[in-house]
Amino acid sequence: MTDVNLSAILYKKLDLRLEERPIPEPAKGEVQLCMQKVGICGSDVHYWQHGRIGDRFIVTGPMLLGHECSAVVTKVGEGVSHLKVGDRVAIEPHGVCRTCEQCKSGRYNLCPNVFFLATPPDSGALARYHVHGADFVFKLPDNVSFEEGALIEPLSVGLHACRRARLAMGHRVLVCGAGPIGLCAMLSAKAFGASAVCVTDIDPKRLEFAKEVGATHTVLIERGSSEEEVAKKVAETLGGAPDRTIECSGAQFSVNLGVFATKPGGVFTIVGHGPNKVEFPVVSLVAKEIEIVGSFRYINTWQTAIDMISCGKINVAPLVTHRYTLEETMQAFEMSKSGQGVKVMIDCAKK
Ligand code: NAD
Ligand code: 572
Ligand code: ZN
């Protein structure tokens, strides 16, 4: 029986459908992939619920969702030599131009010609089959599972944030937000040699989970508490002010907290996106010489992440709390939207 390419297609806001599409053929430099595990990201849920992120990324036509992926190679296009049919792989979910100033200088995450999976107008990979540029496809060792392979994407956001923060051995670290990205930042910070990592959230269940998966300390953000009060509590909890803060909540409160809490001369890395414009307590920021650093996706993190998972220094597997098949995509999205779990994973393999 010939296989069909069951695909999760977002037509417009609140209109997500499972449909059969033709199986794509790999062009020169590409591979055809039989998708295995695809994690649901907050942005997938956001596009489904709102049809847009801000004024720039608007769903205007049918697009597949999904950008946290692992797969098996099923066909190899002309000129691809580092992969073969049957290889188990993880996917870095974008393509870049390779010719612009940013690509040439190695900062390909800032390429103005980038396309990113599941960011309108570009389609994602939540389907049975997908084709991808082979240079962004990485072999998985036998001891790295397909779920771990899919989690390399959010882990990469955390690793890149730590690199951007120049995080080093012995640092005390504050991570704001205990969602998948905050947890990946926490795991990355520990792997970079942090001596203590304190995670904040407004949800006590998320903090309990953060402790279970490796946070050394947590602080609950309670309604009515001020940023200055929480900053004091964070310093008491960590045994000193954090050398580095990584913001992964998108909350205005965390932006203020990051400035108040971070040690003078420290680095405050911002990953989370809330509204486009937020306020900073500029007097404290200047007087403490806090470095504010933006962190956008990732550069050259896949092989590092694979090796760190394979050698056991980073354990992302416990982040998966719910599992569904591709046919159960709607239930998977409902679960992710509910916020009950942490990472919802879809199994795309045919049963
Ligand atoms: P998420 O919504 O699952 O997690 C955010 C967490 O922050 C939640 O647990 C929420 O309860 C918590 N939170 C809300 N208000 C808070 C507050 N005042 N203090 C502390 N915690 C608070 O989202 P996620 O998938 O973990 O992503 C986190 C953020 O990172 C999002 O804004 C997302 O858009 C952004 N992101 C950025 C990049 C990048 O490249 N810069 C990549 C991926 C995600
Ligand atoms: O894993 C990549 C990713 N990036 C996110 C969110 C979720 N997952 N970002 C937040 C939104 N931005 S964006 O620039 N945009 C919609 C493209 O505002 C990208 C990074
Ligand atoms: Zn994402």
Side-chain angles (χ1 to χ4, degrees), residues 177 179-181 200-202 206 248-249 251 254 271-273 295-297:
I181 298 298
T200 65
D201 208 291
I202 52 172
R206 286 232 153 160
C248 304
S249 74
S254 304
V271 178
H273 284 242
S295 186
F296 190 64
R297 292 178 172 149

Side-chain angles (χ1 to χ4, degrees), residues 40-43 53 67-68 153-154 157 160 175-183 199-203 206 219 221 247-254 257 270-274 294-298 341-343:
I40 300 181
C41 172
S43 68
I53 294 184
H67 60 263
E68 301 177 357
E153 201 277 343
V157 175
H160 185 64
V175 173
C176 305
I181 298 298
L183 297 178
V199 180
T200 65
D201 208 291
I202 52 172
D203 178 350
R206 286 232 153 160
V219 166
I221 307 297
E247 180 345 73
C248 304
S249 74
Q252 168 72 66
F253 185 96
S254 304
L257 175 64
I270 302 189
V271 178
H273 284 242
S295 186
F296 190 64
R297 292 178 172 149
Y298 25 67
V342 174
K343 184 53 70 184

Side-chain angles (χ1 to χ4, degrees), residues 66-346:
H67 60 263
E68 301 177 357
C69 334
S70 62
V72 170
V73 176
T74 43
K75 280 187 187 175
V76 173
E78 189 192 331
V80 177
S81 55
H82 75 289
L83 295 167
K84 60 180 189 313
V85 171
D87 281 346
R88 303 167 66 257
V89 294
I91 301 168
E92 188 170 339
H94 51 204
V96 298
C97 77
R98 300 176 181 79
T99 56
C100 71
E101 187 188 341
Q102 297 291 356
C103 282
K104 282 184 170 170
S105 73
R107 297 183 78 170
Y108 62 79
N109 58 333
L110 305 181
C111 169
N113 310 308
V114 68
F115 72 84
F116 192 85
L117 261 52
T119 298
D122 299 313
S123 233
L126 180 49
R128 206 79 86 192
Y129 291 93
H130 167 70
V131 293
H132 204 71
D135 50 349
F136 285 126
V137 174
F138 296 80
K139 273 181 78 160
L140 292 173
D142 289 343
N143 73 342
V144 176
S145 71
F146 284 124
E147 281 194 357
E148 290 169 317
L151 288 165
I152 287 172
E153 201 277 343
L155 176 59
S156 287
V157 175
L159 288 174
H160 185 64
C162 291
R163 284 181 178 161
R164 294 283 298 144
R166 305 192 309 278
L167 213 146
M169 187 164 60
H171 278 165
R172 296 185 178 102
V173 178
L174 169 63
V175 173
C176 305
I181 298 298
L183 297 178
C184 285
M186 176 274 291
L187 293 170
S188 302
K190 287 179 72 181
F192 269 69
S195 55
V197 185
C198 176
V199 180
T200 65
D201 208 291
I202 52 172
D203 178 350
K205 285 202 212 76
R206 286 232 153 160
L207 291 182
E208 214 173 288
F209 190 79
K211 267 273 176 72
E212 278 169 32
V213 299
T216 58
H217 304 83
T218 58
V219 166
L220 179 67
I221 307 297
E222 287 169 298
R223 197 179 288 274
S225 55
S226 74
E227 294 92 335
E228 289 92 335
E229 282 162 5
V230 177
K232 203 162 159 250
K233 201 161 163 188
V234 167
E236 282 161 14
T237 307
L238 281 171
D243 301 275
R244 301 289 186 260
T245 296
I246 306 179
E247 180 345 73
C248 304
S249 74
Q252 168 72 66
F253 185 96
S254 304
V255 171
N256 290 333
L257 175 64
V259 175
F260 291 132
T262 308
K263 187 188 265 184
V267 181
F268 179 20
T269 299
I270 302 189
V271 178
H273 284 242
N276 192 30
K277 289 185 180 167
V278 292
E279 289 178 4
F280 281 88
V282 72
V283 174
S284 302
L285 190 159
V286 169
K288 291 170 74 180
E289 290 199 346
I290 304 288
E291 283 182 56
I292 307 282
V293 173
S295 186
F296 190 64
R297 292 178 172 149
Y298 25 67
I299 320 163
N300 296 325
T301 48
W302 254 253
Q303 196 56 55
T304 307
I306 290 169
D307 294 344
M308 292 299 277
I309 293 170
S310 181
C311 76
K313 290 201 169 134
I314 295 184
N315 184 12
V316 278
L319 300 193
V320 179
T321 52
H322 294 82
R323 294 175 175 82
Y324 295 87
T325 64
L326 184 56
E327 290 78 0
E328 295 167 334
T329 291
M330 289 316 302
Q331 290 106 295
F333 271 76
E334 289 291 350
M335 174 52 72
S336 188
K337 188 184 105 182
S338 79
Q340 288 172 64
V342 174
K343 184 53 70 184
V344 176
M345 192 60 73
I346 299 184

